[in-house]
Amino acid sequence: MESLTVSSAALTRLLDGRWAAVRRGVREHLAAQAAQGALDTARLDVAAHRERIARQIEALAETGGPRLGFPTEYGGGGDIGAAVVSFEMLGFGDLSLMVKAGVQWGLFGGAVHLLGTRHHHEQYLPDIMSGALPGCFAMTEVGHGSDVQRLRTTATYDPRTAEFVVHTPDSAAAKTYIGNAARDGRLAVVFAQLVTGGQSRGVHALLVPIRDENGTVLPGVTVEDSGVKAGLNGVDNGRLTFDQVRVPRAALLNRYGDVTEDGTYTSPIDSDNKRFFTMLGTLVRGRISVAGSAGSATKRALAIAVNYADRRKQFEGPGGDEITVLDYLTQQRRLLPALATTYALHFAQEDLVAELHDLQSGTPEDVANADEIRQRELESRAAGLKAVATWHATHTIQAAREACGGAGYMAENVLPSLKADTDVFTTFEGDNTVLLQLVAKGLLTNYRLQFQDLSPLATARFVAEQFVGAVIERTAARKVVERIVDASPARDDDDAVFDRAWQCKLFTDRESHVLDGLARRLRAAGRDNAFEVFNAAGDHVLRAARVHVDRLVLDSFVAAVERCDDDEARALLNKVCDLHVLSTIEADRAWFLEHGRLTSGRAKAVVAGVNRLCGELRPHARTLVDAFAVPEALVQVPMLDWT
């Protein structure tokens, strides 16, 4: 392995993939911003940080990048995948910029685009794309975060004036943690229970002005600053309440539900539940962008930590010289398995973005009429990958901080801000635990189109009555894996742990076994004990989702290695893939041993394999992090000058 001469450029070409030009463009923009000192925020107070981010939003708008995901007829780029990748790459820099950009162009602009119709597009999209109309995405409420279907804000139609009356009925209905609300937002997409003719029609989205062009808060609207947060203080999060605020009938984003002038409700989707989940499903880009941005922040942390560990020396070795920290196995184990999994998650994210692009490209009508099975598979994959990627970011950035000792705790060395800024990623755009329940629900219900209620009671009842089986998507990555498995003979020796077919079979078998076991447990549910049975299986539900995502991630990594056309880079990536697999198995050895999937001898071979791979990859650690191509100015932190 040490004799390999792999260039980081060869790996970068593979990592950059389909949207390489977009990645290069964002890197150049961030490098230019860093050269001007615009990304150094360690000494800024909240007000100054918000002001700087607001100016950076203006600079970002001028690059044209935020236009990428919008329709060409309004001046956009018509490239959904490029738009998501551009947001993802902002994670290399100040994450406040990524989040504020995501609010403006991903959530706010995306809602207007995907939930609105032509008159909304014509009136608002040009100014949203240019940044001239800053906006908010007002969904979360104090009393209901993950349970969006039970939001309490109301939008009651008044046929006498052809207006909706938007109202906050109590303190639990206050819109909270709303990005862009405390300082800059002028127009909000407000999610509310739509009421017309005395009947509730479920949650819909409306455009509600909250400030005038001079920044003055409008009558009936109350804005409060959320205050100082643990991180992301360049984002002006706020709390919004509405006191009988009237907006015209045209303010309703009416792609999936409309109200005529006399108050008659119409919708192309008959089922309230199906309509609700269709609306939310179109907004999946935000969740995918968070996963990608978490990956970018993780790459930056690893680039800093590996560079430091490769220079820092501690303790005298056998020859009298001090030993480089990265030569210690303990330090390798801190960083290199996490680095391997970061590669794995990158390729899984790339496949997810490609699927999103293929499904959502075209007109809103095309999106609405897309294959419903594929759409729900996309939503499930997005939920699972977001959960796994953001938890991985939290764990890896902490490990990177610890690997750099006291220096890693200094604000000037970036790792503390990366840790603080990414911490909330595990709970925004969906709490990770709830998202994994969503993944398991998708697996168990076989994506039955008429079954949309996510409540534990309804889930348990349905599963008790229906055939349950694992959903193994027929993706391009899965086909590659199946070809490898079919071509490989079974092995019994302990070196089988390095055999790709054995690894893939092990992950697939674990997924099937866990899901089958969960299905059997839930079949015991009846009308009177459904909640108790489902609740008691909560740990099993989460495991089923997690092992499913593990298998998807491995599929993507294997497929990426197979398409690498540089022989030496491919050989190196095979080792990185092995380390990802064996470290994953090592972390779950108890399950594999309990269920007879590993002998004690082979379990020991897995641990020995992780140690061996750490040693083999150590000479290539710098190459592997350099391949992320994080702009140099964002990696060269002061502690690297001390070594």
Side-chain angles (χ1 to χ4, degrees):
M1 272 293 295
E2 197 164 349
S3 62
L4 284 176
T5 54
V6 181
S7 74
S8 60
L11 294 172
T12 302
R13 283 194 297 274
L14 182 66
L15 288 166
D16 280 1
R18 181 172 174 179
W19 287 281
V22 174
R23 295 183 189 275
R24 287 194 298 270
V26 178
R27 286 190 186 106
E28 291 169 3
H29 176 74
L30 290 176
Q33 292 280 303
Q36 299 167 15
L39 301 184
D40 180 10
T41 60
R43 295 173 179 81
L44 296 180
D45 62 22
V46 171
H49 196 176
R50 288 179 177 180
E51 177 62 25
R52 179 172 291 184
I53 293 299
R55 301 290 76 79
Q56 289 179 10
I57 285 288
E58 294 173 359
L60 188 62
E62 291 175 1
T63 68
R67 296 179 175 271
L68 287 170
F70 292 100
T72 55
E73 61 189 299
Y74 305 110
D79 193 333
I80 305 298
V84 174
V85 166
S86 69
F87 284 127
E88 172 186 323
M89 294 295 289
L90 291 175
F92 281 156
D94 184 344
L95 287 158
S96 286
L97 176 62
M98 184 282 297
V99 171
K100 194 170 174 81
V103 169
Q104 172 66 20
W105 292 296
L107 295 176
F108 171 58
V112 174
H113 173 206
L114 294 169
L115 301 182
T117 48
R118 177 168 289 277
H119 69 278
H120 300 113
H121 301 162
E122 292 174 346
Q123 183 173 353
Y124 297 110
L125 286 186
D127 284 344
I128 290 173
M129 287 187 287
S130 72
L133 178 60
C136 312
F137 185 83
M139 178 182 281
T140 299
E141 294 181 358
V142 173
H144 290 87
S146 298
D147 192 1
V148 177
Q149 210 164 2
R150 288 167 180 79
L151 296 177
R152 293 177 56 79
T153 300
T154 57
T156 304
Y157 185 68
D158 182 353
R160 296 171 301 172
T161 59
E163 293 174 315
F164 287 99
V165 182
V166 180
H167 186 61
T168 305
D170 51 54
S171 59
K175 299 295 182 182
T176 193
Y177 313 131
I178 308 304
N180 252 10
R183 197 191 100 140
D184 295 326
R186 285 175 28 212
L187 185 66
V189 172
V190 176
F191 287 80
Q193 300 288 348
L194 189 149
V195 180
T196 182
Q199 184 176 355
S200 176
R201 297 292 181 172
V203 173
H204 289 64
L206 302 92
L207 293 170
V208 182
I210 61 173
R211 289 184 178 87
D212 64 20
E213 292 184 357
N214 299 317
T216 302
V217 176
L218 294 170
V221 179
T222 299
V223 179
E224 298 175 87
D225 198 314
S226 293
V228 179
K229 307 184 292 292
L232 299 174
N233 280 303
V235 183
D236 52 321
N237 294 90
R239 176 172 165 144
L240 298 173
T241 58
F242 306 95
D243 184 8
Q244 307 291 340
V245 174
R246 289 180 171 266
V247 295
R249 186 172 65 90
L252 177 66
L253 295 176
N254 59 337
R255 168 67 51 195
Y256 298 105
D258 204 356
V259 175
T260 63
E261 192 166 349
D262 67 1
T264 302
Y265 180 80
T266 63
S267 173
I269 303 174
D270 292 334
S271 165
D272 289 347
N273 277 339
K274 186 176 179 182
R275 183 187 317 115
F276 172 74
F277 285 103
T278 299
M279 283 175 23
L280 290 193
T282 63
L283 304 176
V284 72
R285 293 183 207 173
R287 195 165 282 165
I288 295 174
S289 296
V290 169
S293 300
S296 294
T298 306
K299 291 168 189 171
R300 187 182 181 192
L302 284 168
I304 292 170
V306 167
N307 271 277
Y308 184 73
D310 197 39
R311 301 182 191 189
R312 175 79 163 164
K313 296 179 184 295
Q314 284 285 282
F315 303 109
E316 187 176 303
D321 295 330
E322 287 188 301
I323 299 172
T324 302
V325 169
L326 195 53
D327 288 337
Y328 290 103
L329 176 62
T330 52
Q331 195 77 340
Q332 293 166 10
R333 271 184 160 269
R334 271 178 166 172
L335 297 174
L336 299 187
L339 176 57
T341 296
T342 301
Y343 266 78
L345 290 169
H346 173 95
F347 294 122
Q349 173 76 7
E350 184 179 36
D351 286 350
L352 181 61
V353 172
E355 179 67 5
L356 170 76
H357 177 84
D358 294 344
L359 267 178
Q360 290 202 351
S361 293
T363 67
E365 290 79 8
D366 293 334
V367 174
N369 295 326
D371 184 310
E372 291 190 67
I373 298 296
R374 283 182 67 194
Q375 179 65 34
R376 278 156 183 74
E377 287 177 352
L378 173 71
E379 292 166 24
S380 178
R381 287 170 63 192
L385 192 58
K386 184 267 180 184
V388 171
T390 55
W391 272 327
H392 176 70
T394 295
H395 167 79
T396 301
I397 294 170
Q398 175 64 21
R401 206 292 298 158
E402 292 179 17
C404 296
Y409 198 60
M410 302 301 294
E412 65 182 4
N413 292 320
V414 174
L415 295 173
S417 63
L418 287 177
K419 185 177 185 304
D421 287 347
T422 56
D423 188 61
V424 75
F425 283 19
T426 61
T427 51
F428 79 32
E429 281 294 329
D431 174 89
N432 283 356
T433 298
V434 175
L435 292 182
L436 287 187
Q437 291 174 335
L438 175 65
V439 174
K441 173 259 178 183
L443 294 171
L444 288 166
T445 62
N446 203 22
Y447 299 108
R448 182 184 175 190
L449 299 182
Q450 298 303 314
F451 177 73
Q452 302 294 351
D453 191 341
L454 288 177
S455 72
L457 179 66
T459 300
R461 284 178 177 170
F462 181 77
V463 171
E465 299 167 358
Q466 301 294 322
F467 167 78
V468 179
V471 178
I472 303 293
E473 301 93 329
R474 295 293 298 171
T475 62
R478 171 83 325 215
K479 292 171 185 174
V480 171
V481 169
E482 289 175 349
R483 188 172 68 247
I484 291 172
V485 169
D486 291 344
S488 177
R491 295 181 58 172
D492 292 325
D493 59 297
D494 285 345
D495 275 348
V497 299
F498 296 100
D499 181 75
R500 189 73 71 233
W502 178 85
Q503 295 168 356
C504 292
K505 288 175 184 175
L506 191 69
F507 275 45
T508 302
D509 174 64
R510 179 179 58 157
E511 178 186 4
S512 298
H513 182 93
V514 171
L515 191 59
D516 287 346
L518 176 60
R520 285 194 298 273
R521 288 182 69 177
L522 294 183
R523 285 194 187 106
R527 184 172 298 276
D528 296 330
N529 69 340
F531 174 79
E532 289 78 6
V533 171
F534 186 89
N535 195 42
D539 59 329
H540 204 154
V541 168
L542 298 183
R543 172 172 281 278
R546 182 60 193 253
V547 299
H548 172 69
V549 177
D550 282 350
R551 195 266 304 162
L552 286 175
V553 170
L554 177 57
D555 284 0
S556 290
F557 202 166
V558 170
V561 173
E562 287 296 301
R563 66 176 177 265
C564 181
D565 57 8
D566 183 296
D567 290 342
E568 293 207 318
R570 185 172 177 175
L572 179 60
L573 285 173
N574 265 310
K575 293 291 185 183
V576 176
C577 187
D578 283 339
L579 181 55
H580 163 68
V581 172
L582 295 191
S583 60
T584 302
I585 296 171
E586 182 184 44
D588 204 19
R589 269 183 303 162
W591 186 92
F592 288 111
L593 285 166
E594 286 172 359
H595 293 82
R597 267 58 180 184
L598 289 180
T599 63
S600 60
R602 191 162 289 184
K604 292 176 183 177
V606 167
V607 178
V610 171
N611 291 340
R612 174 182 135 188
L613 288 164
C614 283
E616 291 179 354
L617 289 172
R618 186 266 175 264
H620 305 281
R622 287 278 294 274
T623 298
L624 289 167
V625 295
D626 288 350
F628 295 144
V630 182
E632 187 69 14
L634 299 177
V635 176
Q636 283 301 320
V637 295
M639 67 180 174
L640 295 181
D641 296 331
W642 307 343
T643 53

